[in-house]
């Protein structure tokens, strides 16, 4: 997407807005994802967090002793992540790189990779999807694993929230020029109430990827399906897979 990056303009309010919108569901998904990682990752494993945002996973993983390298194309998101990591005393365990996922330039550097919380919907075309999964695969050591979520079609619907904390209206509409029905426009307007009193808005394009196509791309990148753990994430509108880099 050209122009403004999704969420970059309101990175400092990102966590508050999503927590106010989803509440327990937001915290449940974070906790369940951390649980899945902790079951798979060894204590000293190096972790690559793709689409790390403000550190929703990177910081708690660093707090448990992991070394985490955070990737995000939003400089404002990564700035907030690093400030929070320093404030919580784990800055020495967290590094960050402001690049798109397909530009990750590591080789055999990490034991575990994470690409979750709907990162794939920001990828707009098949060459970019292929390049992203190749870059992630290359960065993970042979035999290492990647937790990937694949947003399902029923995630692409608008919603409205009006609570004591927030008024938020998200409109998601199919792009009428896309004959395959995969591209959507995403428009978000939110008013975060006391004590913040902040209004934010943005628009960007989002893409739905069929699971079969993502798996095909992953296999071409050298990542095979090791475990389908979607049943652990039934409250999320995404498939969740552990992929393993083939030797």
């Amino acid at each position: 997407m050209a122009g403004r990056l999704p969420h970059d303009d309101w990175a400092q309010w990102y966590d508050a807005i999503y927590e106010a919108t989803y509440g327990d569901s937001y915290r449940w998904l974070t906790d369940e994802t951390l649980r899945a990682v902790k079951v798979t990752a060894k204590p000293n494993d190096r972790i690559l967090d793709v689409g790390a945002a403000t550190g929703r996973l990177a910081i708690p993983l660093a707090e448990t002793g992991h070394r985490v390298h955070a990737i995000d194309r939003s400089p404002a998101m990564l700035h907030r992540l690093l400030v929070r990591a320093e404030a919580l005393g784990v800055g020495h365990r967290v590094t960050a790189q402001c690049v798109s996922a397909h530009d990750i330039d590591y080789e055999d550097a990490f034991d575990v990779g994470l690409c979750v919380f709907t990162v794939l919907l920001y990828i707009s075309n098949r060459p970019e999807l292929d390049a992203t999964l190749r870059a992630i695969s290359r960065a993970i050591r042979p035999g290492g694993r990647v937790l990937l979520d694949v947003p399902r079609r029923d995630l692409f619907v608008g919603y409205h929230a009006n609570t004591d904390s927030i008024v938020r209206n998200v409109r998601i509409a199919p792009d009428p020029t896309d004959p395959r029905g995969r591209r959507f426009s995403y428009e978000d307007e939110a008013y975060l109430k006391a004590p913040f009193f902040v209004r934010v808005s943005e628009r960007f394009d989002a893409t739905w990827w069929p699971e079969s196509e993502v798996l095909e791309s992953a296999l071409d990148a050298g990542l095979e399906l090791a475990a389908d753990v979607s049943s652990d994430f039934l409250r999320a509108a995404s498939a969740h897979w552990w992929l393993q880099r083939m030797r």
Side-chain angles (χ1 to χ4, degrees):
M1 185 194 72
R4 295 166 57 189
L5 296 172
H7 320 314
D8 190 69
D9 289 347
W10 46 281
Q12 70 186 106
W13 312 113
Y14 179 85
D15 299 298
I17 286 173
Y18 273 83
E19 288 214 24
T21 303
Y22 296 110
D24 289 343
S25 294
Y26 183 82
R27 291 184 287 273
W28 166 82
L29 183 55
T30 303
D31 292 344
E32 192 61 36
T33 305
L34 288 168
R35 185 204 63 78
V37 176
K38 290 172 183 176
V39 166
T40 298
K42 298 180 178 65
N44 294 319
D45 277 355
R46 302 156 298 171
I47 296 178
L48 175 67
D49 187 2
V50 179
T54 61
R56 182 174 170 186
L57 297 177
I59 289 175
L61 288 170
E63 289 177 321
T64 62
H66 291 290
R67 292 166 291 162
V68 184
H69 187 59
I71 297 289
D72 205 285
R73 53 182 189 158
S74 164
M77 288 283 204
L78 288 182
H79 174 73
R80 180 160 174 78
L81 183 156
L82 292 172
V83 168
R84 292 178 62 211
E86 287 294 335
L88 292 168
V90 294
H92 61 294
R93 295 197 192 105
V94 179
T95 55
Q97 186 179 11
C98 188
V99 294
S100 293
H102 59 264
D103 289 325
I104 297 169
D105 55 359
Y106 288 88
E107 186 170 347
D108 301 344
F110 303 96
D111 303 290
V112 175
L114 307 174
C115 185
V116 293
F117 303 149
T118 69
V119 168
L120 291 190
L121 66 78
Y122 300 100
I123 295 176
S124 61
N125 57 69
R126 179 60 187 262
E128 185 182 357
L129 175 67
D130 292 344
T132 295
L133 292 176
R134 283 197 305 268
I136 293 172
S137 178
R138 188 170 57 246
I140 302 299
R141 64 167 175 79
R145 288 193 170 191
V146 177
L147 182 62
L148 177 72
D149 80 349
V150 184
R152 296 193 168 116
R153 174 62 181 81
D154 53 3
L155 183 72
F156 291 78
V157 294
Y159 57 89
H160 178 77
N162 189 350
T163 71
D164 292 340
S165 303
I166 195 168
V167 178
R168 189 174 182 194
N169 190 33
V170 174
R171 294 178 294 276
I172 301 176
D175 182 344
T177 68
D178 177 18
R180 298 189 302 170
R182 295 188 182 184
R183 192 166 55 246
F184 296 79
S185 65
Y186 182 107
E187 298 182 41
D188 191 347
E189 296 179 345
Y191 172 59
L192 195 57
K193 300 178 184 179
F196 303 103
F197 302 109
V198 170
R199 292 185 185 276
V200 301
S201 64
E202 66 178 352
R203 183 198 178 283
F204 57 88
D205 293 334
T207 303
W208 166 63
W209 291 100
E211 293 173 31
S212 59
E213 189 166 351
V214 175
L215 186 57
E216 177 185 68
S217 180
L219 287 169
D220 288 344
L223 295 166
E224 62 182 350
L225 180 62
D228 185 339
V229 292
S230 302
S231 61
D232 294 333
F233 294 88
L234 291 177
R235 290 168 60 186
S238 297
H240 283 73
W241 302 334
W242 277 111
L243 303 174
Q244 183 166 324
R245 181 180 167 187
M246 293 179 274
R247 297 182 183 274

